[in-house]
Amino acid sequence: QTNDNTKPGVPQSWWTKVAVSPYGTVQHRDFEGKPLWGAGVELRYQVTRTVSLGMRNSIFDYPAGKHEEGGWLHGKGIDETEVLFRGDLIRGGGPGRDRFSMFLIGSGGYNYNTDDFDLGVGPGVSIRFHKNVALEFDYRIRATVGGEEFGAATGALSLRF
């Protein structure tokens, strides 16, 4: 059992396949109006060298509504939870030294403010600066069960153990 975080052929525990990524995100809920800014934390597990599963929890800077103040710390605390599937398509640098990768990301999420589920898919890129530190960016088109479509861009600082 190996992972892309260490040298090939060296056995690793499950813990070395875990990444924690604080991130910033922006959503364009109607592709036209003001963007909705947010932040959160992703917990990801590297299943194989090219496949990972993760979970994101986000808070957003919602504008003031008719019956609420809005802002970062309004309402329920966590505004959105997502489960993510990531498959790397192109990797550069070789096993154990992957410095650049392009990936597809799929998601299923729930927004606690709108009480709506959504599905999303899109491309992403990861640039690794150190075996434990990378910058990652992705953009997904997401559609809710209620019929709304929107874009979501995310930039993350990935920290591995």
Side-chain angles (χ1 to χ4, degrees):
Q1 178 182 359
T2 64
N3 74 25
D4 64 347
N5 192 26
T6 60
K7 297 177 184 175
V10 177
Q12 299 297 311
S13 73
W14 66 271
W15 185 246
T16 62
K17 295 184 174 194
V18 173
V20 176
S21 304
Y23 62 86
T25 185
V26 61
Q27 293 182 354
H28 289 278
R29 298 301 293 194
D30 57 5
F31 290 107
E32 295 175 2
K34 287 185 173 182
L36 183 61
W37 296 92
V41 175
E42 177 182 352
L43 181 64
R44 185 171 57 231
Y45 180 74
Q46 193 77 31
V47 178
T48 68
R49 182 169 177 252
T50 58
V51 174
S52 63
L53 300 172
M55 186 177 84
R56 287 181 181 168
N57 284 310
S58 306
I59 61 171
F60 290 97
D61 185 19
Y62 281 102
K66 186 174 181 180
H67 300 291
E68 58 184 48
E69 291 181 19
W72 286 99
L73 300 175
H74 73 286
K76 301 173 179 151
I78 295 175
D79 295 321
E80 186 174 81
T81 298
E82 296 179 273
V83 175
L84 303 137
F85 172 84
R86 174 178 153 171
D88 293 353
L89 302 174
I90 299 171
R91 295 178 75 104
R97 295 175 296 282
D98 297 319
R99 298 293 181 211
F100 174 81
S101 65
M102 293 177 64
F103 55 88
L104 282 179
I105 190 165
S107 65
Y110 182 75
N111 186 308
Y112 299 101
N113 287 307
T114 61
D115 290 325
D116 211 354
F117 290 93
D118 68 68
L119 297 173
V121 66
V125 63
S126 175
I127 302 167
R128 187 162 300 285
F129 296 103
H130 181 269
K131 69 179 185 176
N132 297 325
V133 180
L135 284 178
E136 299 179 347
F137 303 94
D138 68 69
Y139 183 83
R140 287 169 290 140
I141 300 293
R142 295 168 60 185
T144 67
V145 174
E148 179 186 16
E149 295 177 354
F150 60 98
T154 303
L157 175 64
S158 178
L159 306 171
R160 296 182 116 172
F161 299 99

